[in-house]
Amino acid sequence: MAVTGWLESLRTAQKTALLQDGRRKVHYLFPDGKEMAEEYDEKTSELLVRKWRVKSALGAMGQWQLEVGEPALLGAGNLGPELIKESNANPIFMRKDTKKSFQWRIRNLPYAKDVYSVCVDQKERCIIVKTTNKKYYKKFSIPDLDRHQLPLDDALLSFAHANCTLIISYQKPKEVVMAESELQKELKKVKTAHGNDGDCKTQ
């Protein structure tokens, strides 16, 4: 029921779409004023970016908050080489999903795989990553499961380590796969502008 509710909210949101640089960019405006922007690979329909923006209590537009995609290094052009080097050495957390899994990558983690512990915290509804040498600790939620009101399952969680990058995967429940498939059908109904053809057209 929750999956249907979230899918219905996407269907009823005001949507605009733009095809640019091999990406299908979709903007959603919800009745409560929240905005969501997504970018999909034009050929594979793989989700590349998802971000949210909400209004402040005073009605001002807030900053975009990235949920899926690679964070940009803001202001890198103004940093000195020492600061850039230091920034590049710190762990970088990002989410990059596949068709079948939610997936997160944490770069700049040089420790051996057996140093890491990755588990589900059912009480807080989040995933916890930590190292036995106490050099790294992070916990994060899966907003998709919260929106669909689905439980977290340890059996769907796995991780790998290669090239100083920890890769954490959580297999998408069938309810999420079904909802994503239905959304793609819905997005095909949205009129799409191309490149610099002007403003995106509203559904």
Side-chain angles (χ1 to χ4, degrees), residues 41-127:
D41 184 287
E42 178 188 356
K43 295 181 180 178
T44 66
S45 296
E46 180 180 329
L47 178 66
L48 303 174
V49 173
R50 178 187 291 138
K51 54 188 178 180
W52 290 85
R53 185 165 68 173
V54 298
K55 289 183 178 180
S56 70
L58 299 177
M61 294 308 304
Q63 297 292 318
W64 284 102
Q65 300 297 319
L66 191 67
E67 181 179 311
V68 178
E70 187 163 5
L73 185 59
L74 298 177
N78 299 324
L79 296 177
E82 298 84 1
L83 290 176
I84 292 177
K85 183 177 180 180
E86 181 181 351
S87 175
N88 289 341
N90 291 330
I92 300 173
F93 178 86
M94 62 171 286
R95 175 175 158 185
K96 187 180 187 302
D97 292 352
T98 68
K99 284 285 190 181
K100 296 182 178 180
S101 298
F102 305 120
Q103 193 172 91
W104 301 263
R105 295 169 183 262
I106 310 176
R107 297 174 181 161
N108 299 332
L109 289 180
Y111 319 113
K113 183 181 177 182
D114 58 9
V115 170
Y116 302 98
S117 167
V118 181
C119 62
V120 165
D121 185 320
Q122 297 287 359
K123 186 177 180 180
E124 294 195 30
R125 288 186 56 81
C126 67
I127 294 173

Side-chain angles (χ1 to χ4, degrees), residues 28-199:
Y28 304 76
L29 178 60
F30 298 94
D32 61 2
K34 287 183 181 177
E35 296 177 73
M36 182 175 77
E38 294 183 325
E39 296 182 18
Y40 293 89
D41 184 287
E42 178 188 356
K43 295 181 180 178
T44 66
S45 296
E46 180 180 329
L47 178 66
L48 303 174
V49 173
R50 178 187 291 138
K51 54 188 178 180
W52 290 85
R53 185 165 68 173
V54 298
K55 289 183 178 180
S56 70
L58 299 177
M61 294 308 304
Q63 297 292 318
W64 284 102
Q65 300 297 319
L66 191 67
E67 181 179 311
V68 178
E70 187 163 5
L73 185 59
L74 298 177
N78 299 324
L79 296 177
E82 298 84 1
L83 290 176
I84 292 177
K85 183 177 180 180
E86 181 181 351
S87 175
N88 289 341
N90 291 330
I92 300 173
F93 178 86
M94 62 171 286
R95 175 175 158 185
K96 187 180 187 302
D97 292 352
T98 68
K99 284 285 190 181
K100 296 182 178 180
S101 298
F102 305 120
Q103 193 172 91
W104 301 263
R105 295 169 183 262
I106 310 176
R107 297 174 181 161
N108 299 332
L109 289 180
Y111 319 113
K113 183 181 177 182
D114 58 9
V115 170
Y116 302 98
S117 167
V118 181
C119 62
V120 165
D121 185 320
Q122 297 287 359
K123 186 177 180 180
E124 294 195 30
R125 288 186 56 81
C126 67
I127 294 173
I128 295 179
V129 182
K130 55 186 176 182
T131 58
T132 55
N133 61 11
K134 300 185 184 332
K135 295 288 187 180
Y136 186 81
Y137 178 91
K138 186 173 185 67
K139 64 180 181 179
F140 56 92
S141 64
I142 307 179
D144 308 71
L145 298 188
D146 292 338
R147 288 190 286 264
H148 294 321
Q149 296 179 24
L150 294 171
L152 276 72
D153 185 350
D154 250 320
L156 301 179
L157 184 64
S158 63
F159 71 96
H161 186 267
N163 301 319
C164 294
T165 300
L166 186 67
I167 303 170
I168 303 163
S169 300
Y170 187 98
Q171 184 179 330
K172 293 178 180 177
K174 63 181 183 300
E175 294 92 343
V176 172
V177 174
M178 178 189 70
E180 290 180 346
S181 176
E182 289 298 314
L183 176 60
Q184 288 305 312
K185 294 177 185 177
E186 192 68 24
L187 292 180
K188 289 179 180 178
K189 303 175 186 177
V190 181
K191 293 181 180 180
T192 305
H194 291 260
N196 297 318
D197 292 345
D199 295 335

